[in-house]
Structure formats: C-alpha cells, structure tokens
Amino acid sequence: MTVANSASISADIAGRYAQALFDLVRDAGGIDALSAQVDDLASAYDASEDLRDLTVSPLYDRQQQEAAIGTLAGRMGLSPELANTLRLMAKNRRLFALPQFIAKLRGLIADARGEVTADVVSAQALSDEQKTRLADTLAAKSGKKVKLNARVDESLIGGMIVKLGSQMIDSSIRSKLASLQNAMKEVG
C-alpha cells in the first residue's frame, strides 16, 4: 500500500465518521458546541504525545483504546455524541484517523457557518490584535468569514505562512533565505 493510498483511506474513514456525527449534531442544533469541542480535542491531540501514541500504537488493544478515549472524553466534558463517536472509532480500531476526523469536522462546521478556515503558521505567537487584523484582511479577500487555525513554528525565524483554501502565502524568513540561497547557487 502506498502512502497516498493510506492517506486516502484514512481520509475516507474519517469522513464517514465525521459526516455521521455532524449530521446528528446539526439536527439537534449543536454545531457551536461541537465546534468548540473539536477545537479542544485538536489542542489536546497536538499537545499530548501520549494521546498521539494511543491512536497509532499497535501495543494498545481495542478495549484499552476505548477505555482511554472514554476517560479523556469524560475529563474534557465532550458531548455524548462526540464521546460515543470516539469510542466507536476506538472499538473499530479507527483512532489512527483522528487528525483527518478533526479536519473533516472543522470543514463541515465551517461550510455550515459560511466560514473558511485559514491555517496560519508563524514564528511567534500572534497577538489577539494581529489575529483580528489578519482574519479581517483574509475575509475581505475571500468574501467569507475567516476562522484562523494558528500555530507556532520557531524554525520559520520570522514572518508567517498562510494557507487559505488552495492558496498559500509564504512570507517566512526561512523561505526567503532558501530563495536567496537558490539564487546564489545559480549565480555561482
């Protein structure tokens, strides 16, 4: 199996779980609560190496994964719908698709709200004012309400990378130095 096939299969699996959960929550009018919980779950996944290991390690069996994810859902105060979906994913050995599940849910929620998500990677954490200005600028450009998904990557040295839909704007110093290095190679 190629990496592309593996990624495609993960996306398909995640998409089915996300769509089913989204449909259930949308009918009950709980999109806003789901959005906040998905953001919390994404933050927990990004921050916890133990959680990432739990989702992909073959050392944990179905029952261990289901028990651990159930405990996590309880501690985080996740809705019964989201908690049950996560437990079902664990029971069916599908937790490896959790990042794609989160991304798909975010996309469904954004579509329902008429929003677009911009992934922003910056060398330093953005202030609230910077986030607001960036979101307003991107909203004016896209014609939709923009929700920022921001993270820090200190290896950028300075600047940021913004991905809005299929468009990417790389104003990082790292990329500018790489371009300069390539130009110098061509000269020499």
Side-chain angles (χ1 to χ4, degrees), residues 60-78:
Y60 300 104
D61 64 23
R62 294 170 197 256
Q63 290 80 16
Q64 289 170 318
Q65 281 186 325
E66 190 177 354
I69 209 76
T71 300
L72 175 71
R75 285 188 182 153
M76 291 181 68
L78 301 181

Side-chain angles (χ1 to χ4, degrees), residues 26-108:
R26 180 187 56 201
D27 293 344
I31 290 178
D32 291 338
L34 178 64
S35 178
Q37 291 178 21
V38 168
D39 289 345
D40 291 346
L41 182 60
S43 295
Y45 184 83
D46 290 342
S48 174
E49 186 176 341
D50 289 339
L51 178 56
R52 291 190 301 275
D53 286 346
L54 174 74
T55 63
V56 296
S57 175
L59 299 177
Y60 300 104
D61 64 23
R62 294 170 197 256
Q63 290 80 16
Q64 289 170 318
Q65 281 186 325
E66 190 177 354
I69 209 76
T71 300
L72 175 71
R75 285 188 182 153
M76 291 181 68
L78 301 181
S79 69
E81 296 87 356
L82 179 54
N84 289 339
T85 301
L86 294 173
R87 279 197 290 274
L88 183 62
M89 289 175 73
K91 186 176 180 180
N92 293 335
R93 300 290 285 177
R94 299 294 188 250
L95 279 180
F96 64 87
L98 189 59
Q100 295 91 341
F101 171 76
I102 290 169
K104 179 69 175 176
L105 271 175
R106 282 180 162 165
L108 291 168

